[in-house]
Amino acid sequence: MLAYPLPTTFDLHFSHNQMERLVQPARIAFAIGLSGMVFPQFFYREFIVNFFPAWPHLPLAGFWACLFAAIVLAGCAAIIFGMRPKTASLLLGGLLLAVYLFGYFTYDLFVALYNNHLGTWADGLKEPALAGGALVVAGSLPAEATVQRSAVLRFLERLVPFGPFLFCATMVLYGICHFLYTVPISPLVPGWIPWHIFWTEFAGATLILSGICVVVKIKLKLVAFLLGLMIFIWLLIIHIPLTIADPFSNKSNSLVSAFSALAFCATAFTISGMAGRTKPA
């Protein structure tokens, strides 16, 4: 009988080519996810709830929503088709972060009622995670040959190391929400899965622990991969069925949530793939 050594631990060992086979499609998936989130703004002529709050008396709201969507779609197309993708992802990260800081963050801090509850901040928290995802994508791409990089791009490049932190901050806060709002969140667990409360709290604990581990780089490659895999499973068993059942109600909320899950799992996979690099691109 032939004896084969059995692995005693689960680990991920990617060569450079294997790593690129993970990172390259993950970058494209992130761009597709972000594109799918902003595209409905053309139909509703207003900002999707994850990108900009309902500021009272905002002039030309429909115009700004469509302009924002068009800029984001152009940046995502540049990433997908390889047209100066690093510049595009840096600008996307900067745009999303700026819109969050001057939009949702300011609104939640000074305008929103009951702003001492984490739940009132939840809608806008996807935006800094997406900004972090764009910066992670930028960090995974090689430098582009340009005559002279603008001061804006040089500044945004300095923010690239903060990409995983922005992404993981949202993951941790969403994990906390799973404990604060367990009963309202638990119905999202499909009916064919038992123990809804348990799985809701398990998901919350997993988001918190994986977010912390990624930030402090504990088993970074493995944890980021498993985080991406978990969110991808949620996409398959929760978000896609909800989207198929009711794609357009509440301003296409289920559809937007599905695309956001795609962008988030792609971000985690990119972080995992980048963990194998010994030096930045």
Side-chain angles (χ1 to χ4, degrees), residues 119-195:
T120 62
W121 293 73
D123 286 335
L125 285 175
K126 285 187 179 181
E127 195 160 29
L130 293 166
L135 293 173
V136 167
V137 168
S140 73
L141 288 161
E144 295 167 350
T146 56
V147 176
Q148 183 177 3
R149 298 185 70 81
S150 68
V152 172
L153 289 176
R154 291 198 300 271
F155 171 75
L156 291 175
E157 280 194 291
R158 295 191 185 99
L159 298 182
V160 166
F162 297 98
F165 173 81
L166 290 169
F167 172 69
C168 289
T170 293
M171 297 300 103
V172 170
L173 291 172
Y174 277 170
I176 294 172
C177 284
H178 279 66
F179 289 97
L180 295 178
Y181 311 105
T182 305
V183 174
I185 292 175
S186 61
L188 291 175
V189 179
W192 51 271
I193 298 178
W195 311 320

Side-chain angles (χ1 to χ4, degrees), residues 16-77:
H16 178 76
N17 290 335
Q18 289 173 322
M19 180 187 66
E20 283 304 314
R21 285 201 292 269
L22 174 67
V23 172
Q24 187 173 358
R27 288 194 291 253
I28 294 173
F30 172 81
I32 292 173
L34 182 54
S35 298
M37 291 183 70
V38 299
F39 192 77
Q41 293 184 177
F42 290 115
F43 294 97
Y44 298 111
R45 296 294 192 272
E46 61 183 85
F47 280 97
I48 294 300
V49 68
N50 301 128
F51 291 110
F52 200 82
W55 275 97
H57 313 299
L58 177 68
L60 301 174
F63 168 78
W64 295 117
C66 290
L67 178 63
F68 175 82
I71 294 172
V72 171
L73 286 173
C76 290

Side-chain angles (χ1 to χ4, degrees), residues 70-142:
I71 294 172
V72 171
L73 286 173
C76 290
I79 294 172
I80 293 170
F81 297 107
M83 300 179 295
R84 297 188 66 182
K86 189 179 187 75
T87 296
S89 53
L90 285 172
L91 292 175
L92 277 176
L95 172 65
L96 292 165
L97 188 57
V99 171
Y100 174 72
L101 291 175
F102 292 104
Y104 256 115
F105 183 79
T106 304
Y107 179 86
D108 286 333
L109 199 60
F110 299 110
V111 179
L113 299 175
Y114 312 111
N115 60 2
N116 58 331
H117 296 277
L118 181 58
T120 62
W121 293 73
D123 286 335
L125 285 175
K126 285 187 179 181
E127 195 160 29
L130 293 166
L135 293 173
V136 167
V137 168
S140 73
L141 288 161

